[in-house]
Every structure is written in structure tokens, then in C-alpha cells.
Amino acid sequence: MGKSKKKRARTSPNDIDNTSVYDVLNCDDIMHEILLRVPPSTLSKLIIVSKRWLSVVCNSSFRRCYLTQWGQEFRHLGFFVCNFLYLGRPRNGVCRPSWEPALPFLSTCKEGDDFMRSGILKKLGYFIDSCNGVILSGVHPKIYYVYHTMAKQRYQLPVPQQFYKTLCMALIVEEYLEGDICYKVIRAKCESKLRERNTVSIETYSSKTGKWKQTTLMCSTSFALVPRTVGMVVGGVVHWLAIWGKLVIYDPRLGDRNVALVKLPAGVLSQEHEESVLGESSDGLLQYGQSNNLGLEIWVLEKETGVGPSTYSNCTHLKYKWILRWRLNFKAIWKQIPTFSLYFKETQILSFLPQNSTSVFIRVGWNIFQCDLETKTAEVVNYQGRGASISWESSKVVPYFLPAWPHSSSVSVQNGT
């Protein structure tokens, strides 16, 4: 008798391919590695494919890996205007006219228009600072709000324990492990009388504890902070402008109460400067820019060799040096725009763009331009708002950016309401 042969089920190559693709698309680890290789312009389109893909992209671990590889991109919504005559004014100070909003906003796009019409700006008081889409606002010295635009959540901070007649502030925003956004708000006392002091009183609010904590910072030499300013936070480290041409560096991550004091660069073209701004470069360094009626100069602050920008180390034990990156004469810009060539002496540096080393905002009167430092060209920034009615001498005009990153409804501001 012949041996009976068992028929073997034949598997189609298409079935194997379909099974493999199905397994890949349902494995988060594999999708994580695939999406890391997708450029930002394409990634924003893939999140509408499925909720799973959106969940992978919005995961805090994936976000950190992706931003390390590709860098953070931002969307420009407009400019906030803060008038120092009203913010923290004394009882006999200048009163804000009823027709003037407490928080003016100059919109530059449709998203900015929608933000302005949402009504939230009427509930925030005066603008103080912003970071990663989170806005710090309020009325000195007792009322402060933190508003997360993407999550549309507002939180009112408890009343501070310390009274500071004049102060400067700082806002630190970081991503919490569970995906929540946590933050710290720092109030620093500014002495009204210029005395020889090597200490400064600060009060820090943490969204993790929900409380204010008072601390006294110390320095080896005398210093005094510039009032009515905000600190520039780079890598969790706060940088405040100080009088007598100095910069104060404070790292709150270590719990150390000592601060470093660094002399600001003098400059050649802008030695007698009228405006100065702080920002963050594309390579994660502190940027300092200053301008006068001739032009502008920009430096970055570098640490000693061998210390990375994210290394936790006592800022007082480090050596710093200023590296000049840009020197630009305003005449070189306005030669290409004859309409403003006669007004080059009125040009001022306005602010940096976030994590950008090649562009700055400058202004002539109420006209705002984005200046490309490499090509020495300027492009007008069109905005909606009463630019002509702004008191530019007593106001701070700050660009407002949102991180260009998909946002899940599950992500919220910690302690938000």
C-alpha cells in the first residue's frame, strides 16, 4: 500500500506580508523607532491616521527622544504687550484707561486671532512672561495666574508670603514624568536703594507642592537685580540682568543658595547700548543681544570645556566666557528697504526667537521686522492690533510662541483648574 501524503496548507506571500505589517503597526516599540525617523513636516500629518499613533506621538518619552533628534519647532501667534506703568503701580500711579485692555495682544495669524477672541486674555491680568505655551500673568504683588494655552487651563497661585515693593520674576516650565506640565514661579526682590549687598530674597512657587517657599540667595560680590524684568531660563538655569553691567546666574535644581555673577560684554558697535535682551540659542546656550542707533551685537555664554549644557553642576564653580556671534550695522539692512532707510537710527532690537541663533525681531517705531542675521535682510511682521497706541518707552513687547507639537487631551497642567 502506498503511503498517504498529507496535504500541507499553502500560505500566500500576501498573507505573510499582511500579518507582518499588522504586527508592526500594533507594536508600540517598533512604531516608536519608525516615527523617530519621520521628519516634523510629515509627523504632524500622521497623527490623524489613528488614535494609537497619536498616543505614541504624544507620549512624553517619545517626545523627548524626537526633540533630541530633530529639535523643537514653534508657531508664532503674535506679541504680548506689558505696560510697566500699570503692572505693580503704586496707589498714586498712572491708571489704565478703560478703553485700553490690561493684556494687549498683537496677533500675527488666524490662530492668534482665535486666541485673542477666546476671551481668556480678559481673565489673566497683566502679562509677565511665557514659556513653552504657558503664560504667567497677574497683578503685582499678590495676584498671579498660570495659563496653559494648549490645554486651555488656568490656575491662580496662592497669595505670596513675602511683600516685595519692586521685583523681577522667572517662569520655569518642565514636563512631568506622567505627562503633566509642572512649573515653578520665582519672585526676586529688587532693592529700591542701590546699596552694597551680596544677598537677594526670593520666593519660589512649585506646582508640585502648591506652596511658596522663601530663600535668600548669596553671592561672593555685591550685586542688585534690574527691577521689572524677567529671567531667561535655559536648561533649567535662571539668568537675570543685574545693574552695573552684570548677569546673575541661579540654578534652582541643586538646592544651592549661591549665585554666579558674570560681567556682560561691552561691545564695539553697540558699546553705548540702549536696548538689551536675553534668549536661548539653537545649541542650548544663553544669548545676549544689545543695540544702539548704529547696530546690534549678539553673544553666547559658554561654559568651560567638558561641561555639557544639561550637566547639573554648581554655577558658581564654573568659568564662563562670551563668544561674539553677530555684529550687524542697521544701515546694511535698510539699504534693501528704501522706505525705512531714513529711519535706521530709530531701529532697536526687540527680542530673540525661541531656540534660534540666526534671527531676531527688531522694530522701527511701531513697525516690527524679523531680521535674518545671515543674509542681513528684514521682513515686516504684519500684526492685528493698535501698534500706534502702544507706549513703547514704558512697555515690553514680547513674541508669543506655541510648541509645534501634537497635544493630547489627556495632558494637563498639574494643579490646574
Side-chain angles (χ1 to χ4, degrees), residues 158-176:
V159 177
Q161 301 174 356
Q162 305 295 319
F163 174 77
Y164 300 148
K165 185 176 180 179
T166 56
L167 72 161
C168 60
M169 300 190 70
L171 172 64
I172 303 175
V173 177
E174 55 189 6
E175 190 168 21
Y176 199 50

Side-chain angles (χ1 to χ4, degrees), residues 48-245:
I48 64 175
V49 173
S50 69
K51 292 183 179 179
R52 278 196 65 257
W53 288 24
L54 175 62
S55 177
V56 172
V57 173
C58 291
N59 181 272
S60 59
S61 175
F62 175 82
R63 178 182 179 183
R64 283 192 293 269
C65 294
Y66 192 88
L67 295 183
T68 300
Q69 180 171 329
W70 291 93
Q72 177 71 75
E73 294 187 353
F74 297 89
R75 306 192 307 273
H76 184 208
L77 269 65
F79 298 88
F80 281 115
V81 181
C82 176
N83 193 321
F84 295 124
L85 296 178
Y86 310 142
L87 181 63
R89 69 177 181 85
R91 292 183 178 180
N92 58 347
V94 179
C95 294
R96 177 173 57 87
S98 57
W99 56 266
E100 184 177 342
L103 212 169
F105 186 72
L106 310 177
S107 173
T108 57
C109 62
K110 182 181 182 303
E111 189 175 3
D113 296 341
D114 296 339
F115 174 63
M116 188 167 53
R117 288 193 294 261
S118 66
I120 187 61
L121 297 180
K122 298 179 180 180
K123 304 177 182 179
L124 298 180
Y126 297 100
F127 175 80
I128 298 175
D129 196 12
S130 69
C131 178
N132 289 340
V134 178
I135 301 171
L136 173 64
S137 61
V139 181
H140 292 317
K142 295 182 178 181
I143 303 174
Y144 298 101
Y145 300 101
V146 168
Y147 180 72
H148 187 15
T149 304
M150 292 181 290
K152 297 182 180 179
Q153 292 185 339
R154 185 190 72 158
Y155 179 67
Q156 182 172 353
L157 277 58
V159 177
Q161 301 174 356
Q162 305 295 319
F163 174 77
Y164 300 148
K165 185 176 180 179
T166 56
L167 72 161
C168 60
M169 300 190 70
L171 172 64
I172 303 175
V173 177
E174 55 189 6
E175 190 168 21
Y176 199 50
L177 295 177
E178 288 79 5
D180 290 340
I181 303 296
C182 64
Y183 55 88
K184 290 182 180 179
V185 177
I186 303 177
R187 306 169 68 243
K189 183 178 182 180
C190 296
E191 296 294 338
S192 56
K193 297 181 180 180
L194 301 182
R195 300 175 182 176
E196 293 290 326
R197 294 177 179 269
N198 64 345
T199 62
V200 61
S201 174
I202 70 169
E203 194 173 18
T204 304
Y205 174 84
S206 172
S207 63
K208 294 181 180 179
T209 63
K211 298 179 180 179
W212 290 95
K213 181 180 179 181
Q214 193 274 337
T215 309
T216 300
L217 303 181
M218 298 174 289
C219 185
S220 57
T221 56
S222 301
F223 72 100
L225 300 176
V226 177
R228 300 185 301 183
T229 59
V230 294
M232 182 65 211
V233 180
V234 178
V237 180
V238 183
H239 304 80
W240 279 304
L241 291 174
I243 63 174
W244 303 309

Side-chain angles (χ1 to χ4, degrees), residues 308-319:
S310 61
T311 302
Y312 281 28
S313 52
N314 191 324
C315 58
T316 61
H317 297 164
L318 299 176
K319 294 182 180 179

